[in-house]
Amino acid sequence: MSKQLRRASALAVAAMIVSIAFGTNGSGAAAQSSLAATSAAQSPLQMVSQPVVQPLPVAVPAAPVEADDLLGSGPTLARSLTELVAAQPQPAELSRELHCLAGAVYFEAKSEPLIGQLAVGRVVVARSKSGRFPNSYCGVVFQPSQFSFVRGSAMPGIAKGSRQWKNAVAIAQIAHSGAWRSPVEGALFFHATHVSPGWHLKRIGRVENHVFYR
């Protein structure tokens, strides 16, 4: 083969290589561009100007306290019930029913801690709902031979400006609403620890200076 022919062949081969190279690069760029465009269409980028923060859950009121939880819970119980007592309104006038309930708490347990007062109040509430006693607080309190503080159909005088009466009013509202359960929930009878009436009843437990039965 002559030099001219070899030279021409070499030039032709070089031209072919250059053509192939340019064609490949071009098709590759187009494919990548098309893929990028497709991805952008399917998953557009979103700019967030503020950080996304999940809202805090709404506070849920605590579940009612069970009798077993009250027993032996110590100072935490006292603080919690004290706060509940402090949160109760002090109405200028009480309904007759609440007055009877507060009177029973006052005369039977005014010297007791709040949990002892509540236990007494819940006995009056339980009696009124039991079907075995009158169906009102006043009916329960003034039922003959049931509460030693009752004189005929009346209560003795009450020092209504005292802290003890205000506590009794608050406890009566709590006992009536069932906002706090007694450690002896469901009790229908009680007596002071310094007496022994010899009742043949189911003993539920003791709260401070009273023993409770069903």
Side-chain angles (χ1 to χ4, degrees):
M1 184 181 293
S2 65
K3 290 182 178 180
Q4 290 182 346
L5 182 57
R6 287 198 300 270
R7 183 178 181 185
S9 297
L11 288 174
V13 171
M16 185 180 298
I17 292 173
V18 170
S19 175
I20 292 171
F22 274 104
T24 302
N25 288 341
S27 64
Q32 291 172 3
S33 176
S34 174
L35 180 60
T38 302
S39 299
Q42 292 177 348
S43 304
L45 294 177
Q46 296 181 354
M47 301 303 294
V48 180
S49 58
Q50 297 293 334
V52 179
V53 179
Q54 292 293 330
L56 293 174
V58 177
V60 178
V65 179
E66 299 293 337
D68 290 344
D69 296 333
L70 294 177
L71 290 172
S73 53
T76 300
L77 166 63
R79 284 196 302 271
S80 298
L81 186 54
T82 298
E83 290 172 0
L84 187 57
V85 166
Q88 301 306 305
Q90 288 288 325
E93 294 291 335
L94 285 177
S95 68
R96 183 171 182 269
E97 285 296 291
L98 274 181
H99 190 279
C100 287
L101 180 55
V105 172
Y106 179 81
F107 286 109
E108 291 288 343
K110 63 185 176 183
S111 61
E112 296 283 297
L114 294 176
I115 193 61
Q117 296 181 42
L118 178 65
V120 167
R122 289 295 293 172
V123 166
V124 176
V125 173
R127 282 191 174 194
S128 72
K129 297 178 178 180
S130 69
R132 298 167 56 185
F133 296 89
N135 61 1
S136 68
Y137 299 153
C138 290
V140 168
V141 169
F142 291 112
Q143 186 177 16
S145 304
Q146 296 299 310
F147 291 91
S148 59
F149 69 86
V150 173
R151 300 289 182 268
S153 59
M155 293 184 187
I158 297 172
K160 293 190 175 179
S162 67
R163 170 52 56 189
Q164 290 173 321
W165 173 247
K166 291 179 180 178
N167 283 345
V169 169
I171 288 291
Q173 293 176 84
I174 294 168
H176 169 69
S177 68
W180 194 281
R181 294 190 60 166
S182 162
V184 287
E185 193 68 27
L188 295 172
F189 307 89
F190 66 89
H191 64 74
T193 55
H194 64 267
V195 300
S196 299
W199 294 343
H200 298 290
L201 300 169
K202 180 180 179 181
R203 174 174 167 153
I204 299 178
R206 172 179 172 174
V207 181
E208 302 300 331
N209 293 313
H210 287 103
V211 184
F212 294 81
Y213 301 80
R214 182 178 296 140

